[in-house]
């Protein structure tokens, strides 16, 4: 009889969720790009199809992988209780954080290059004009912000494989990237000084919430009956539920405030930009309902001392799918000029 390595994700549940999440995210990204018109060639300064399609995809991958890094490290450093019974989970989380950090670093590099090409309207099939790239990377606020994010991602990649305080440093660094990420072009172009602050809070809330839910999916096999003590599972869910509730409130509040600043008037909801806002809001409300169901399950499970049931895990799977679509909508929304612009 062989014992599976707890560091390796189960081939049954997490892989199936991952594939489904990728498909849903890709479809939502495709529909949002077509609906917003971002996929259409520009009349002036068109960067080419590779950039028009590749940049949103790279941004979605960047946001998801950053979230998983934050989620895995948050579980390791606070959500998962210390104890010998949790060593298998802790080892799995270290692997997840390291792999996600590698994807994050690669996505950050791709976003830097693709954003440069998008900004100057330069197709990449003819190569990268390094002189102009250097000016963008070091001489502009968005460029410097992307360079900082890439540098932090590489440092987090190194630290994520270590134990102890190194993981806390990695978590702090990963979370701190909300500051350079808030230097988004649309946030900087807003006349309201609150825009970067709202965006930073939004990114931090998404990272903690989405990352935590995805990490739960990736360790699902280790939290099933017979693999983990029911008390450990309930304690993990209770701690994450508190964090997720705060993160959801932060994401929803900052998202609504940011949309209100950019839309300007209710009439703008009839535009393609307004349609994306409404679709994202509907998805967020749906995720709130799922979160409420989770909370009810945790309350009843605590009273009975039972572990996660099959419906509870199906809710988490559904949450991951909806989150993937929501992130895709958010990416396209961030790259779409508001009606008043």
């Amino acid at each position: 009889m062989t014992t599976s390595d707890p560091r390796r994700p189960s081939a049954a549940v997490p892989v199936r969720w991952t594939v489904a999440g990728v498909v849903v995210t890709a479809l939502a990204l495709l529909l949002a790009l077509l609906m917003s018109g971002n996929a259409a060639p520009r009349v002036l300064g068109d960067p080419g199809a590779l950039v028009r399609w590749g940049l949103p995809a790279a941004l979605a991958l960047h946001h998801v992988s950053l979230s998983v890094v934050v989620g895995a490290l948050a579980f390791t450093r606070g959500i998962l209780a210390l104890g010998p019974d949790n060593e298998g989970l802790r080892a799995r989380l270290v692997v997840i954080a390291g792999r996600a950090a590698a994807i994050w670093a690669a996505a950050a590099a791709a976003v830097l290059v693709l954003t440069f090409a998008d900004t100057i309207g330069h197709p990449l099939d003819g190569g990268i004009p390094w002189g102009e790239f250097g000016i963008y990377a070091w001489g502009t606020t968005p460029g410097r912000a992307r360079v900082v994010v890439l540098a932090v991602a590489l440092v987090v990649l190194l630290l994520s494989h270590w134990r102890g305080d190194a993981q806390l440093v990695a978590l702090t660094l990963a979370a701190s990237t909300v500051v350079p990420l808030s230097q988004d072009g649309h946030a900087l172009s807003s006349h309201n000084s609150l825009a970067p602050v709202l965006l930073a809070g939004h990114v931090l809330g998404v990272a903690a919430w989405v990352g935590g839910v995805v990490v739960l999916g990736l360790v699902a096999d280790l939290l099933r009956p017979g693999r983990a003590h029911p008390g450990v599972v309930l304690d993990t869910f209770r701690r994450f539920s508190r964090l997720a509730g705060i993160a959801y409130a932060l994401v929803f509040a900052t998202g609504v405030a940011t949309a209100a600043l950019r839309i300007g008037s209710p009439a703008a909801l009839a535009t393609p930009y307004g349609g994306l806002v409404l679709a994202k809001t509907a998805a967020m409300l749906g995720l709130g309902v799922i979160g409420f169901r989770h909370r009810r399950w945790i309350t009843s499970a605590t009273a009975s001392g039972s572990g996660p049931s099959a419906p509870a895990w199906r809710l988490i799977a559904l949450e991951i799918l909806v989150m993937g679509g929501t992130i895709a909508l958010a990416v396209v929304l961030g790259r779409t000029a508001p009606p008043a612009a």
Side-chain angles (χ1 to χ4, degrees):
M1 179 177 178
T2 60
T3 302
S4 60
D5 187 349
R7 294 172 299 179
R8 296 174 62 91
S10 166
V13 177
V15 171
R16 185 171 69 244
W17 290 3
T18 300
V19 171
V22 169
V23 171
V24 170
T25 304
L27 288 175
L29 195 64
L30 173 64
L31 292 174
L33 285 171
L34 294 174
M35 175 182 174
S36 64
N38 280 297
R42 299 177 190 168
V43 177
L44 295 174
D46 181 46
L50 175 61
V51 176
R52 291 196 310 272
W53 292 94
L55 179 53
L59 283 167
L61 183 62
H62 174 280
H63 298 344
V64 172
S65 54
L66 167 59
S67 297
V68 175
V69 169
V70 171
L73 292 173
F75 264 79
T76 303
R77 296 300 305 174
I79 296 175
L80 186 65
L82 295 174
D85 293 337
N86 297 338
E87 282 308 305
L89 274 167
R90 201 171 300 280
R92 170 78 64 81
L93 290 169
V94 170
V95 173
I96 291 172
R99 292 179 180 177
I103 297 173
W104 177 32
V111 169
L112 173 60
V113 174
L114 290 168
T115 303
F116 158 70
D118 184 65
T119 301
I120 68 170
H122 178 81
L124 289 178
D125 51 8
I128 301 174
W130 292 107
E132 292 161 342
F133 176 77
I135 294 173
Y136 170 79
W138 303 110
T140 68
T141 299
R144 286 193 298 268
R146 289 296 174 186
V147 170
V148 169
V149 172
L150 174 57
V152 171
L154 292 172
V155 173
V156 170
L157 174 59
L158 294 176
L159 294 176
S160 62
H161 297 285
W162 297 356
R163 296 293 188 100
D165 291 340
Q167 291 176 333
L168 181 59
V169 174
L171 174 59
T172 303
L173 286 173
S176 71
T177 56
V178 300
V179 177
L181 287 175
S182 68
Q183 304 304 301
D184 173 78
H186 288 305
L188 289 176
S189 64
S190 173
H191 297 297
N192 195 302
S193 59
L194 284 178
V197 177
L198 291 173
L199 183 57
H202 196 73
V203 173
L204 181 61
V206 168
W209 175 37
V210 174
V213 173
V214 173
V215 167
L216 274 178
L218 292 173
V219 298
D221 57 307
L222 296 183
L223 294 176
R224 291 192 178 282
R227 299 295 301 273
H229 190 279
V232 170
V233 178
L234 283 176
D235 185 58
T236 299
F237 270 80
R238 276 196 298 264
R239 293 186 183 200
F240 174 66
S241 178
R242 287 193 290 268
L243 174 64
I246 296 171
Y248 175 82
L250 179 62
V251 170
F252 192 84
T254 54
V256 170
T258 300
L261 286 177
R262 297 187 67 190
I263 285 180
S265 67
L269 292 173
T271 65
Y273 182 89
L276 291 174
V277 170
L278 292 175
K280 184 186 175 187
T281 303
M284 286 295 301
L285 291 173
L287 288 169
V289 172
I290 295 174
F292 176 73
R293 295 291 301 274
H294 279 164
R295 192 68 190 173
R296 289 188 61 184
W297 168 80
I298 290 171
T299 301
S300 61
T302 300
S304 63
S306 61
S309 60
W313 286 117
R314 283 195 291 270
L315 271 179
I316 292 175
L318 176 62
E319 194 170 9
I320 291 174
L321 297 183
V322 177
M323 281 178 169
T326 306
I327 287 177
L329 290 172
V331 165
V332 177
L333 194 60
R335 288 182 44 75
T336 304

